[in-house]
């Protein structure tokens, strides 16, 4: 069985990472920016290693390196512009979080009311069953 030896804490470890990465505004955190920089450094090191393996004679590795540099600088530019826009008050990257929390609270309220209705239905059914039992006993 695959994953039989994994504990629930190991499974939860990956879940919080995915949740953190997919949360709107997470790209603005210092931890995410450090992670992104480290990933790019690893990418550059891999490409340079490939350049060294090919004795710096393969044009494809140079093109790949330039594409990676372009990606790195465009991502850094986007994050800096996003930070400037947030500082100027033009955007609020946490607004989706607030809206999501509002929807979650509404969903929780609906679920509570649904559960309350179900409880009331069960009580009515139990009361009717009790009345029928008493009537049957009396007959």
């Amino acid at each position: 069985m695959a994953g039989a030896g994994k504990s629930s804490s190991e499974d939860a470890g990956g879940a919080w990472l995915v949740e953190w990465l997919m949360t709107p505004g997470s790209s603005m955190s210092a931890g995410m920016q450090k992670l992104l920089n480290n990933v790019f450094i690893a990418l550059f090191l891999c490409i340079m290693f490939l350049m060294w393996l090919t004795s710096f004679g393969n044009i494809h590795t140079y093109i790949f390196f330039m594409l990676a540099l372009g990606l790195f600088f465009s991502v850094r530019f986007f994050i800096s512009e996003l930070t400037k826009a947030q500082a100027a008050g033009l955007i609020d990257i946490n607004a989706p979080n607030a809206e999501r929390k509002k929807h979650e609270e509404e969903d929780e309220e609906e679920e509570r009311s649904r559960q309350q209705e179900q409880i009331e239905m069960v009580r009515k059914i139990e009361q009717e069953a009790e009345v029928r039992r008493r009537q049957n006993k009396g007959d």
Side-chain angles (χ1 to χ4, degrees), residues 9 13 18 22-24 26 36 49 53 57-58 60-62 65-67 73 76 80 90 92 110 112 124:
S9 63
V18 170
M22 299 307 288
T23 301
S26 67
L36 190 61
F49 179 69
L53 279 179
N58 191 341
H60 297 95
T61 56
Y62 289 103
F65 189 76
M66 297 307 280
L67 288 171
F73 286 117
R76 295 302 304 160
S80 69
L90 299 174
D92 182 16
E110 288 177 15
R112 279 193 290 272
K124 285 181 184 178

Side-chain angles (χ1 to χ4, degrees), residues 24-29 82 86 91-97:
S26 67
S27 62
M28 298 304 295
S29 69
L82 191 61
Q86 186 182 9
I91 60 169
D92 182 16
I93 60 170
N94 295 320
N97 289 338

